[in-house]
Every structure is written in C-alpha cells, then in structure tokens.
Amino acid sequence: MGVKNLWDILESCKKTLPLHHLQNKRLCVDLSCWLIQFQNANKSSVCIKDKLYLRSLFHRLRALIALNCSLIFVTDGAIPSIKLSTYRRRLGAGPESTREEANPQTSQTVASLRRNASSEFSCMIKEAKALGLALGIPCLDGIEEAEAQCALLNAESLCDGCFSSDSDIFLFGARTVYRDVVLGDGGHVSCYEMVDIESKLGLGRNSLITLALLLGGDYSQRVHGFGPDKALQVVKSMGDDNVLQQIISEGLTGLKKRTGTKKMDKHINRDKNKENDQSQMRGINMNSQNQGLADQFCQVIKAYLKPKCHSADSEAVLRVCSEWPFQRTQIQHICEQYFGWNPEKTDEYIIPKIAERDLRRFANLRLVSSELGARIPFHKLPVTCPVSTIVKQRKLQGQVCFEVSWQNMDGIQASIVPADLLESACPEMISEFMARKDEEKKCRNRRLNTRKSNKASINEVEAQLQSNTSISIDSVPSSSSNFHHSATDTKTSEIIDLCSPSPPHRLSKVAEPVDVIEIYDSEAEMSTEHQRKARNLRLFLDDIRNELH
C-alpha cells in the first residue's frame, strides 16, 4: 500500500507517456504489485484456476520485450519487524502468517518474519518467476521489502526506473516510478519523477517520510487530526532539510503550534489527555511518553532511510544485471502446462517479439557506432542484421509498417515491424526495396503499354474487316455496267471474283487496269476455301486478344 493518500498528493506530477517511451530501458519490477493488479482485475476463482494472472503477465512481458526493455523481477523477502502489526491486521492472522507469528513473545524477539512459502500467493510468485526466467528475465529475491530493493537499484543508476504501486518506494529513494501500464492501441504508462515532485510540490525524500509519519502507512499509524492538505502544509513549513529533526524534537506540541486551528487543538489535547491517562496507568510521566513517540518516529525514519537490501556491488545484484538468454523450449513447456498452447501457438506469440527486440538492439548498435564516428558500410558490419529481406509494405492502424523475413530465427518466417524501427536499423534495405519496387512498377507499365498498343492494332484490323465490304480501285474511266469479258477489247473492264476459283488461263497482258474488286460480306456467297481462311483469321485474332487481356 505505502503511504496513505500519497498518490493523490502526487497526482499533479503524474505524466502519461506512450508505451514507446520505455524502449531500450532497464527496469525493475515489484513483482507482487503486478500480480495483485492482475488478481484485482479478475476477482474470481476462475482467475486462479485458469491462470489468468499468469496469462496477463505473459502478454505484458512480450509487449515490453518487443521494446527491448531489460526487466528485473524483484520479490519480497522477510517481513520487517516494524511492519508485523500492519501485516497481521491486513491478513487477519490468515494462512499467510507463519507459526512463529502466533507466539507474541517470539514475534517481539525476531528481527523480521519469514513468509509462508506454501501459501497461494507464494505459489503465484514462483510461477511468475519461472515464466520470467524462460523469457530471459532474472529475479532478485529481496532481503525484506521489494520496493526498497527496487529503489536502491534506481538510486544507484543500475536501472532506469521501477514498476511499483507502493507509494513508499519514493521514501526508500526511488527517482523514477512507473505505476500503470496499458497495452494495445494507444498504450501508455503512468510515470512519476522525483525531480518533478521536488520542483512542483517542494517535497524531497525527507518531506515524504514526514508525510508518512503524519498520514500513516505500512510502518506507523496516522496522527489524529491530520489530513493530506494539513499534513502537506505542515511539512512544507518546515523545509525538507530539517523536517525530520524538527518533528522528532518538537513532537505533537510543535505540530500544534504550526497548525493553530481549533480542530487541531482538540485532537492534540485529546491525544495529550490520552497519553496522560496512559502514563498514569503505567506509572510513567509525560516526558517518557513523548520520548516513546520520538523513538517510534526514529524507528520509522530509520526503516525508510536504511532498509535491508542487497548492496549495489553484491553478487546477487551483479548476477541479475547481466544478460540472461531466452529459453524457447522452456517457455513452450510452461505455456503448454498453464495455458494449453501447442509449441506453434507459443512461437507465434513470442518469437516475433524476440525478433523485434533483436532488431532494436541492432539499431542501437548502429546508432552508437555513428555517434562515435564509425561510418561502416551496411554490408561490412561485424554484426549481421537480423532482417533478411523486406517482403512488402503495409499499413496497420494507420501506421506504416513493413513485413520482413528473418534470418537465423527459428520458429518464424516473416512478421511485421514498424517503419521507423526498420529505418533506424537498416535504411539501406528500405532504399533497395523502394528502388526494386519502382523498377517493378516501370516494368508493369511497359507491359501494360505494349498490351494497349497490340490491342489497338488488333482493333484497327477488326474495324477494317468489319466496316468495309468492298474496296474500289479507281482507274481510267470506263463503263461500270460492262460485265462482259473480252480479251481483244482494250476499252472494257475485267471483274475478278475472289470467291471463285482462279480462271484456267491468265492473259499475259491486260489492256486496262482492274476497275472493281468485290468482296462478299456474307459467308453464304463465299466459296468453301474462302470460308475456311476467314475462320482461321478470326481464330488467330481471338488468340492474340486473349493473350493481351
């Protein structure tokens, strides 16, 4: 939970960023917070039985993997002794409590309380850790609070930010916290930066710890009479540098002076009377009671400023900060066991995301090389581009993308990647693809023009055959009504019938040129030979027309 009402106080510093903002970042994940979110989204027995929380975790992880996010799971260790009362109150001494917790004397002597490893939630944590490990995501088991370990990694610049819904992560020293993640179209993430909290609200880490003392949280109860606005007013009046020392030294009396309201006086007097009554009953004076309150404040402050965590140079931290491999066979086995998916379906979900992650890493390598002044030609790069070739250009949800084929990537032939990613990774491939596409377009246009030209020629021939039924050849004027054939009369005209066989004899000389050549337009008037030739001509023209179409 964290500090009461702290998220509301920090609302003005909240930034809603596109999911793309997380690319190429190393992020710590408070794993318990994520699983609780998934549980709350599906509050039914079906959620546990059908592993809906694990399925939701899988899809969130594959989306972040595609953005080349290097994730580190962090889990809770033992329960801090200062948190035991809060822990018991939340669980109502349920199954999560151990046998040691049932003994009050034992709980007072132990520094912290180990968690019940056989509880239902602990089993969910184990399943999530196994899923993450198969996807190449290591897990760091915290000594106590997971959010404290995440904050230390962030403060030591071992990660770029933390995923957590516990607001006290800022009190442990975190600088960048991501709270809500929304996937799909318009996916985004809620981000809180400590630099914004300091500049906009004037609250540093010490001020936030003081708010926890007044408003209550995991380690202490709230002080009566203080709401978010009044607590914020008091904390700002003290200043971040001296606020912790002042609240310890002044106690409730100092808070009364700083508020100066009748309502606050009423609560302060009530608390004072209560303390006096308790002091009289226990036989102690008021100074001892005030000293007890100061001791309690000191314990809470120490719990936030010096939590029990793995140090930045510890072997456990160095181990999770190294790169972990993707285990394809293991993730197939887990998805088959928990979701009932066959290996092909699992590959369809995760392999394209792994390929996109590798492409982003290749793009980062080229960017770093370019910034260092190394202008290496694309085909001479020491690292091979994971993309084999560009298949086609696409548009998904209004975004320009490319369908690409991959090399050295088992379980996938082709997938779709954003155009901007491919442009940053291998612009040479896009240039080659566009040039090839333009050349193919020119070839298609040439073929189309050739077909149009041939079709026009055929149409012209058909038009000539169908429109003209006779061709007249003019010669020397003569009588067109003279149809008698005379070999000796040079003033007559000769009529040649193309439908009839050739005459048995031909004159060696023709006195006058041919006057008229008649072509019958009816097949009934044609000879058998003429009809056969006409049919062959039509069939020939039909074949050419079909080829063009």
Side-chain angles (χ1 to χ4, degrees), residues 115-158:
R115 298 176 186 272
N116 185 0
S118 61
S119 67
E120 184 179 70
F121 191 75
S122 296
C123 293
M124 293 169 58
I125 292 289
K126 292 178 183 178
E127 295 169 353
K129 289 169 62 175
L131 178 67
L133 192 61
L135 294 173
I137 301 173
C139 182
L140 177 60
D141 295 323
I143 297 177
E144 288 186 347
E145 299 277 47
E147 61 267 31
Q149 187 68 64
C150 290
L152 182 141
L153 297 178
N154 187 211
E156 295 291 338
S157 300
L158 294 177

Side-chain angles (χ1 to χ4, degrees), residues 59 87 256 265 317 400 418 478 531:
H59 289 297
Y87 189 74
K256 173 185 175 181
D265 292 344
V317 172
V400 179
S478 60
Q531 294 177 5

Side-chain angles (χ1 to χ4, degrees), residues 244-373:
L244 294 180
Q245 292 80 0
Q246 291 185 26
I247 197 171
I248 292 175
S249 61
E250 295 179 4
L252 296 179
T253 305
L255 295 176
K256 173 185 175 181
K257 294 179 181 179
R258 293 184 180 275
T259 54
T261 60
K262 294 182 179 180
K263 183 176 181 182
M264 178 57 62
D265 292 344
K266 179 180 178 181
H267 287 292
I268 296 297
N269 292 330
R270 185 182 65 183
D271 292 336
K272 185 176 180 180
N273 294 332
K274 183 177 181 181
E275 291 170 0
N276 288 330
D277 294 341
Q278 291 177 351
S279 298
Q280 294 175 1
M281 292 174 62
R282 296 175 184 175
I284 60 176
N285 56 29
M286 191 62 189
N287 292 331
S288 300
Q289 185 69 15
N290 289 335
Q291 185 61 39
L293 182 62
D295 292 341
Q296 179 185 354
F297 281 176
C298 289
Q299 291 178 7
V300 174
I301 293 171
K302 182 181 178 181
Y304 283 126
L305 292 179
K306 296 181 179 180
K308 294 181 180 180
C309 300
H310 297 286
S311 62
D313 57 352
S314 65
E315 182 180 353
V317 172
L318 296 177
R319 177 181 59 86
V320 296
C321 288
S322 60
E323 186 173 350
W324 289 64
F326 165 65
Q327 303 177 37
R328 181 186 174 195
T329 304
Q330 186 66 18
I331 193 62
Q332 289 176 346
H333 174 72
I334 291 175
C335 291
E336 183 178 6
Q337 178 183 358
Y338 293 136
F339 311 146
W341 296 349
N342 56 35
E344 290 76 15
K345 184 173 182 178
T346 302
D347 287 346
E348 182 181 349
Y349 272 122
I350 194 62
I351 299 297
K353 304 301 181 181
I354 297 293
E356 186 174 338
R357 180 200 65 183
D358 293 345
L359 184 60
R360 291 188 188 276
R361 292 180 176 179
F362 181 79
N364 293 339
L365 179 63
R366 296 202 68 184
L367 178 62
V368 173
S369 300
S370 176
E371 291 176 350
L372 294 176

Side-chain angles (χ1 to χ4, degrees), residues 26 31 45 62 141 159 207 256 285 323 325 335 343 364 446:
R26 170 173 283 176
L31 187 56
S45 58
R62 59 189 283 267
D141 295 323
C159 68
S207 299
K256 173 185 175 181
N285 56 29
E323 186 173 350
C335 291
N364 293 339
R446 284 196 295 267

Side-chain angles (χ1 to χ4, degrees), residues 436-456 547-549:
R436 186 170 67 250
K437 190 175 179 181
D438 292 340
E439 185 61 28
E440 291 175 355
K441 185 177 180 180
K442 291 178 181 179
C443 292
R444 287 196 302 268
N445 291 337
R446 284 196 295 267
R447 288 195 298 268
L448 183 60
N449 293 334
T450 302
R451 290 179 180 179
K452 289 180 178 180
S453 178
N454 294 338
K455 185 176 180 180
E547 290 181 0
L548 292 176
H549 290 308

Side-chain angles (χ1 to χ4, degrees), residues 177-218:
V177 178
Y178 300 100
R179 187 182 180 190
D180 301 319
V181 184
V182 178
L183 305 180
D185 188 19
H188 61 271
V189 60
S190 299
C191 176
Y192 298 82
E193 299 269 8
M194 193 63 190
V195 63
D196 296 330
I197 297 173
E198 292 169 346
S199 60
K200 292 182 179 180
L201 300 178
L203 300 176
R205 183 180 178 185
N206 293 337
S207 299
L208 296 177
I209 294 176
T210 307
L211 286 176
L213 296 174
L214 300 179
L215 299 176
D218 291 342

Side-chain angles (χ1 to χ4, degrees), residues 38 67 173 184 191 414 472:
F38 297 142
L67 294 174
C191 176
S472 299

